[in-house]
Amino acid sequence: MLHSFVTKTLTVYQGSVWPQNGGMPEGGKIIRVIPEFWQPPQYGGYWVNGEFSPDGHYLLVSWGQRIGALLFDTTSWEPVTDRRLFPQNLKEYLHSPDWNLGIAVADDGDALVWDEQSHRIVSKLPGFGELEAPPVITDRDGHRVYTAGMGEIQSAAFSPDRTSVAIFGGPDDIFKLRLSIFDIQSGRKERDLRPVAWTSYPSGGLVWWNDGHWILAPYSSQFSGAGTGVWDSKTGRFLGNLDFFGCDARVSPVIAGTTLLQTCFMGNGHDDKLLEWSVDGVRKQIESAESVVASAQDSSQ
């Protein structure tokens, strides 16, 4: 797929070869040209993402800046408009890797847990519609063009046992990230994971690790820098950081059993590397850091 700011279209290709250094796809054929449904007046400043479902039956198209999300049926290449088959008027749709579950972020700010297999709303997650109202962008005639993202859900990840979902959002009206865990069936908030610093912002996707006992999430802060934090999913306690010093870790880590893999972009184009952590290794680091803190507390008494 290729998005064009000039023509404001998303073109779907089949059997094409993509040059390593960018540019137009070569060979193959064009399957479909999809016009944008949201068209901000400025050139650039937003992005369009397209992602196919595992079975290839659907194409999810998301407009950046929380402008909107549509699901296309690839047999007809028409958007799914039946709300019994897919929620409508969405700002964003965040799905599980197998697409069986998703978080549908509605235009009014509500967040719904959607079961793709049974086509039903499992629950509504409270609180997100109560975040600070985002600014409304209008055209010269005063008509609303789109609403800029602010204080909204940034990413979501479902627990391995599919009973909980972690939501990463913010900043809120006091400039803190909001990292929370919700029960999928009831929609009830189970706990908040404590911010690393007073002014912390979510900066990427999050993942569950260590059989669902830990949650990893990247963050950035004006005063304390940035990092990838490790939280205890049962207590909400912050356990520490994974060391990404010198890396541009803009791609979410991948879980392979008890191993965590993180692509590290060094910025010079030829020294990129793959970082690897084990559950046992990180657990030992956490225990070691806790023992240092405990020793310091004992010595001060």
Side-chain angles (χ1 to χ4, degrees), residues 86-104:
F86 191 69
Q88 301 297 298
N89 301 319
L90 297 184
K91 286 186 178 181
E92 191 171 18
Y93 185 71
L94 306 168
H95 58 78
S96 61
D98 58 10
W99 282 53
N100 287 336
L101 291 170
I103 300 297

Side-chain angles (χ1 to χ4, degrees), residues 55-73:
D55 60 6
H57 187 72
Y58 294 106
L59 170 64
L60 178 67
V61 179
S62 300
W63 279 257
Q65 304 294 345
R66 303 297 185 268
I67 300 172
L70 286 178
L71 188 70
F72 287 84
D73 188 321

Side-chain angles (χ1 to χ4, degrees), residues 83-283:
R83 64 179 59 253
R84 294 172 299 179
L85 299 179
F86 191 69
Q88 301 297 298
N89 301 319
L90 297 184
K91 286 186 178 181
E92 191 171 18
Y93 185 71
L94 306 168
H95 58 78
S96 61
D98 58 10
W99 282 53
N100 287 336
L101 291 170
I103 300 297
V105 183
D107 187 58
D108 59 4
D110 285 340
L112 311 172
V113 180
W114 176 257
D115 188 322
E116 182 62 36
Q117 300 303 306
S118 61
H119 300 292
R120 68 183 181 92
I121 296 174
V122 179
S123 61
K124 176 182 175 180
L125 307 182
F128 291 100
E130 302 167 2
L131 292 175
E132 181 180 350
V136 175
I137 309 301
T138 59
D139 60 19
R140 294 180 179 178
D141 298 325
H143 299 120
R144 180 173 129 168
V145 180
Y146 71 96
T147 302
M150 182 177 182
E152 297 176 348
I153 293 176
Q154 306 293 329
S155 60
F158 293 91
S159 63
D161 61 5
R162 302 303 180 92
T163 62
S164 303
V165 60
I167 303 290
F168 208 173
D172 62 16
D173 55 358
I174 53 175
F175 305 105
K176 291 191 299 182
L177 63 81
R178 182 180 293 183
L179 183 51
S180 306
I181 299 177
F182 293 83
D183 178 81
I184 289 176
Q185 293 300 320
S186 66
R188 180 179 57 85
K189 181 191 289 189
E190 295 180 342
R191 66 192 56 84
D192 287 320
L193 279 64
R194 302 305 173 193
V196 177
W198 183 248
T199 53
S200 299
Y201 300 83
S203 59
L206 52 90
V207 296
W208 296 72
W209 192 26
N210 188 18
D211 293 327
H213 290 91
W214 295 342
I215 291 180
L216 275 64
Y219 69 90
S220 58
S221 172
Q222 180 180 355
F223 300 104
S224 60
T228 292
V230 182
W231 282 265
D232 188 312
S233 63
K234 302 302 181 185
T235 65
R237 188 165 60 94
F238 178 68
L239 301 178
N241 276 316
L242 297 183
D243 183 11
F244 287 178
F245 181 76
C247 286
D248 175 7
R250 57 180 176 267
V251 177
S252 297
V254 175
I255 304 298
T258 60
T259 301
L260 179 79
L261 302 174
Q262 173 67 58
T263 303
C264 175
F265 298 96
M266 302 301 292
N268 50 22
H270 55 80
D271 287 334
D272 298 341
K273 55 189 176 182
L274 186 66
L275 306 179
E276 179 178 339
W277 284 270
S278 68
V279 167
D280 289 340
V282 173
R283 183 182 291 114

